[in-house]
């Protein structure tokens, strides 16, 4: 028996596009991608701040099925990456399957199918649902007293207001994660006054960037094997580095040493002390920048380490009572990394809701599925290997996994399947046991940590994650649900 599956994918960012292309390549025609924004590209659509660049090499931050020989830089900028994902959607003919400005509000599995409701009140049905909503897409606006009284321009960095010219303006940036560091590096010397409010210093790895010259690009176009080789080489290097830096390997020592040497380039003792973290490198996501320390030393740039007390109409007041007058306030304060699919309301056939399932924090089966939510798959789900690694190969591995289940359904091997609670608990217990030894649990605050203080990222090598998902582990799945005829 063969059947034609219908699939709804939520989100047309990097992982949603990946899933859609893979469905199309598998000959599945009945699929729809529902995207709440007005364009594809997810994070690369939302983030347009000055200095935006991916700190994973472009040669490795791309799909294996759509290698681009024309990347302008080793680390390309945000606009170029966004354009790459838009082009992939066009080249693989999935645009017709994407419905933009269509926000999913709730999804229920009843009568053996997913019933997915969108903001316009419409309900669509499908045999499978794939959540590809990304990890970092709900901006966190800090709870700073008086923030709404500021008379200048305020925005979160993921909602950069390009209508507000920065020419001649005094700009404040709150936050020193990858985003804050990139913005400060880009704006230093470009605006008369730039104030960086740092709550916690970051370790910064000075990885240089370079332009890919026309000859290199021509060679890559002429010999596509070169791009494949480059991808594999960077993948190997990243896998070895990430595997060893998560645990206490030589890689962690090496990268820590490079960060320390970078910090030493700051000769001013007081400034260097202010920029010195009191936790291990890589405990927070490692920030990469070859010229951040140069930027903070430029005339017109000021690092403020006093805690922010409140904001008033003219600027930011720190705990020592100083008013830092500014015209623009950029909130580089990060994202709610624990939201995942929420606020979408999801209900499985047993009546269990996603809110109940994740009351103690998001947990999944092998990063990709949830007990009691049959025929549902997650891309970039809880505990995915998202720390300082390319998310593109991770999305590909997870999409391939979902596809193997969809293919099995097509062959009539089952009607509805979800991982068992026991298997999910066993798997999560294994993750939990591995967490205390990871660098993320070594004593710092970061978006990697869940409500329970334990990291919500993959504690092993990315290679192990890929290997784990090569097998469907069918024995760990339930296939009988209320209202579903086997
Ligand atoms: P983030 O790493 O979560 O950093 C947020 C910053 O805001 C931190 O410095 C935090 O201080 C500070 N902050 C938050 N609330 C504050 C408050 N009330 N007062 C003062 N400071 C406050 O966010 P992000 O920089 O946007 O980066 C998030 C992730 O996005 C990165 O880790 C990375 O995965 C991704 N990203 C990647 C790239 C790239 O090049 N690939 C670029 C940008 C972002 P504390 O440290 O004290 O909490």
């Amino acid at each position: 028996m063969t059947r034609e599956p219908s699939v709804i994918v939520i989100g047309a960012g990097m992982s949603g596009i990946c899933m859609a292309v893979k469905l199309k390549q598998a000959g599945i025609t009945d699929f729809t991608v529902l995207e709440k924004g007005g364009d594809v590209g997810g994070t690369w659509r939302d983030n347009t701040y000055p200095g935006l660049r991916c700190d994973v090499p472009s040669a490795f931050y791309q799909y294996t099925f759509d290698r681009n020989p024309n990347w302008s830089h080793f680390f390309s900028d945000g606009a170029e990456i966004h354009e790459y994902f838009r082009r992939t959607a066009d080249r693989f003919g999935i645009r017709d399957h994407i419905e933009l400005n269509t926000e999913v509000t709730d999804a229920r599995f009843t009568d053996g199918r997913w019933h997915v409701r969108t903001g316009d009140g419409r309900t669509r049905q499908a045999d499978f649902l794939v959540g590809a909503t990304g990890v970092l897409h709900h901006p966190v606006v800090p709870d700073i007293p008086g923030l709404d009284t500021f008379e200048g321009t305020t925005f979160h960095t993921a909602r950069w207001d390009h209508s507000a010219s920065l020419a001649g303006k005094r700009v404040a940036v709150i936050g020193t994660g990858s985003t804050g560091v990139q913005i400060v590096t880009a704006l230093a010397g470009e605006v008369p006054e730039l104030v960086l409010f740092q709550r916690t210093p970051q370790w910064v790895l000075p990885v240089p960037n370079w332009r890919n010259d026309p000859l290199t690009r021509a060679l890559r176009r002429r010999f596509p094997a070169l791009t494949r080789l480059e991808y594999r080489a960077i993948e190997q290097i990243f896998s070895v580095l990430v595997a060893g830096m998560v645990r206490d390997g030589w890689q962690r020592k090496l990268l820590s040493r490079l960060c320390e040497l970078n910090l030493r380039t700051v000769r001013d003792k007081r400034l260097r002390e202010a920029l010195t973290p009191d936790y291990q490198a890589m405990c927070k996501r490692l920030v990469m920048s070859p010229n951040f320390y140069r930027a903070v030393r430029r005339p017109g740039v000021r690092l403020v380490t006093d805690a922010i007390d409140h904001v008033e109409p003219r600027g930011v007041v720190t705990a020592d009572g100083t008013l830092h007058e500014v015209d623009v306030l950029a909130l580089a304060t990060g994202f709610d990394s624990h939201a995942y699919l929420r606020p979408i309301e999801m209900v499985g056939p047993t009546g269990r809701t996603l809110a109940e399932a994740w009351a103690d924090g998001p947990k999944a089966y092998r990063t990709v599925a949830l007990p009691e939510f049959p025929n549902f798959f997650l891309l970039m789900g809880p505990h995915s290997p998202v720390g300082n690694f390319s998310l593109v190969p991770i999305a590909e591995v997870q999409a391939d996994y979902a596809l193997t289940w969809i293919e099995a359904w097509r062959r009539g091997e089952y009607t509805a399947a979800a991982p068992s609670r026991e298997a999910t608990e066993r798997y999560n217990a294994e993750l939990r046991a591995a967490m205390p030894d990871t660098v993320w649990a070594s004593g710092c605050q970061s978006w990697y940590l869940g409500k329970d203080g334990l990291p919500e990222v993959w504690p092993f090598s990315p290679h192990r994650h890929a290997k784990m998902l090569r097998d469907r582990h069918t024995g760990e799945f339930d296939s009988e649900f209320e209202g579903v005829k086997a």
Side-chain angles (χ1 to χ4, degrees):
M1 166 174 92
T2 59
R3 304 177 280 194
E4 275 317 302
S6 54
V7 185
I8 289 177
V9 180
I10 311 175
M14 177 278 288
S15 54
I17 294 173
C18 175
M19 189 73 234
V21 171
K22 293 204 179 253
L23 288 168
K24 180 144 189 183
Q25 288 178 331
I28 292 165
T29 52
D30 188 358
F31 67 91
T32 308
V33 183
L34 303 175
E35 166 56 55
K36 72 176 173 187
D39 193 4
V40 303
T43 197
W44 302 104
R45 173 202 61 217
D46 291 345
N47 286 277
T48 57
Y49 61 75
L52 172 64
R53 210 166 264 288
C54 184
D55 61 11
V56 174
S58 302
F60 185 40
Y61 195 86
Q62 59 179 343
Y63 303 118
T64 53
F65 53 79
D66 191 16
R67 290 199 174 91
N68 174 18
N70 296 315
W71 290 113
S72 67
H73 287 78
F74 187 65
F75 299 108
S76 296
D77 69 28
E80 191 175 346
I81 296 167
H82 185 205
E83 195 43 42
Y84 166 79
F85 288 119
R86 299 180 85 236
R87 232 179 18 243
T88 301
D90 292 333
R91 274 160 56 92
F92 289 82
I94 57 163
R95 286 271 186 181
D96 290 347
H97 294 267
I98 301 174
E99 294 185 29
L100 299 173
N101 301 308
T102 308
E103 182 164 8
V104 173
T105 54
D106 59 71
R108 277 154 210 279
F109 191 92
T110 45
D111 306 327
R113 303 192 93 198
W114 281 102
H115 298 246
V116 178
R117 205 149 56 111
T118 48
D120 54 9
R122 259 186 80 185
T123 300
R124 297 160 181 79
Q125 291 188 28
D127 302 308
F128 288 90
L129 183 63
V130 178
T133 51
V135 191
L136 300 169
H137 66 296
H138 291 296
V140 170
V141 173
D143 192 12
I144 301 174
L147 190 57
D148 55 349
T149 66
F150 182 57
E151 282 176 352
T153 309
T154 318
F155 44 77
H156 189 276
T157 52
R159 303 285 181 270
W160 195 273
D161 180 357
H162 292 277
S163 69
S165 163
L166 298 184
K169 297 281 169 61
R170 298 163 299 178
V171 179
V173 176
I174 299 181
T176 45
S178 303
T179 304
V181 164
Q182 289 187 339
I183 292 170
V184 166
T185 308
L187 293 186
E190 299 292 317
V191 293
E193 219 180 308
L194 181 61
V195 191
L196 172 60
F197 290 92
Q198 171 192 278
R199 186 164 68 181
T200 312
Q202 289 272 0
W203 287 109
V204 181
L205 189 68
V207 188
N209 191 14
W210 59 84
R211 180 175 274 285
N212 289 319
D213 58 46
L215 177 65
T216 309
R217 286 188 260 163
L219 283 171
R220 286 187 185 138
R221 281 194 297 273
R222 177 74 184 78
F223 304 106
L226 283 178
T227 59
R228 286 201 291 276
L229 204 68
E230 198 179 1
Y231 182 99
R232 291 294 167 217
I234 299 175
E235 183 182 34
Q236 284 311 313
I237 293 167
F238 262 67
S239 301
V240 170
L241 285 178
V242 169
M245 77 189 208
V246 172
R247 311 200 155 265
D248 199 8
W250 60 265
Q251 299 89 329
R252 199 199 288 182
K253 292 186 184 74
L254 172 72
L255 295 176
S256 302
R257 186 77 188 127
L258 291 174
C259 290
E260 282 161 21
L261 290 175
N262 189 31
L263 186 60
R264 279 210 210 153
T265 60
V266 181
R267 296 269 171 238
D268 179 326
K269 194 163 173 275
R270 278 182 58 188
L271 181 61
R272 191 170 64 242
E273 271 169 18
L275 290 166
T276 304
D278 62 359
Y279 55 88
Q280 285 197 43
M282 284 146 301
C283 182
K284 286 171 178 283
R285 188 181 189 278
L286 194 55
V287 172
M288 322 259 184
S289 173
N291 37 24
F292 172 62
Y293 292 143
R294 212 172 310 139
V296 289
R297 281 176 287 161
R298 287 185 72 140
V301 181
R302 214 152 37 87
L303 177 76
V304 175
T305 55
D306 291 306
I308 295 173
D309 185 74
H310 66 277
V311 172
E312 51 179 64
R314 286 180 299 146
V316 180
V317 179
T318 40
D320 61 350
T322 309
L323 166 66
H324 304 266
E325 285 194 59
V326 288
D327 306 302
V328 176
L329 198 48
L331 307 172
T333 42
F335 301 86
D336 177 0
S337 58
H338 317 295
Y340 288 103
L341 293 154
R342 292 172 286 187
I344 298 172
E345 275 187 38
M346 287 187 64
V347 188
T350 56
R352 188 167 171 79
T353 65
L354 187 66
E356 285 163 359
W358 284 356
D360 297 326
K363 285 180 189 59
Y365 166 82
R366 299 185 189 271
T367 71
V368 285
L370 296 178
E372 296 181 66
F373 292 85
N375 296 6
F376 170 66
F377 296 97
L378 274 156
L379 305 184
M380 294 299 137
H383 297 102
S384 288
V386 295
N388 284 113
F389 194 72
S390 174
L391 303 198
V392 186
I394 305 300
E396 283 202 46
V397 159
Q398 294 174 335
D400 285 338
Y401 179 84
L403 196 59
T404 58
W405 275 100
I406 297 172
E407 295 275 23
W409 185 94
R410 214 179 184 184
R411 294 190 297 271
E413 289 178 19
Y414 70 96
T415 298
S420 70
R421 268 185 183 236
E422 300 70 39
T424 305
E425 270 160 28
R426 250 194 333 269
Y427 158 79
N428 276 284
E430 195 188 338
L431 291 187
R432 252 193 323 276
M435 290 305 177
D437 291 339
T438 62
V439 69
W440 310 303
S442 64
C444 71
Q445 263 308 316
S446 80
W447 62 261
Y448 290 154
L449 301 181
K451 269 206 298 201
D452 54 5
L454 285 178
E456 280 180 4
V457 273
W458 180 250
F460 310 113
S461 70
H463 177 71
R464 180 161 164 179
H465 174 261
K467 197 164 160 229
M468 169 181 83
L469 292 184
R470 249 176 247 150
D471 186 336
R472 257 195 303 143
H473 306 279
T474 44
E476 297 186 339
F477 276 66
D478 294 329
S479 57
E480 280 181 26
F481 302 93
E482 248 172 62
V484 182
K485 290 192 194 76

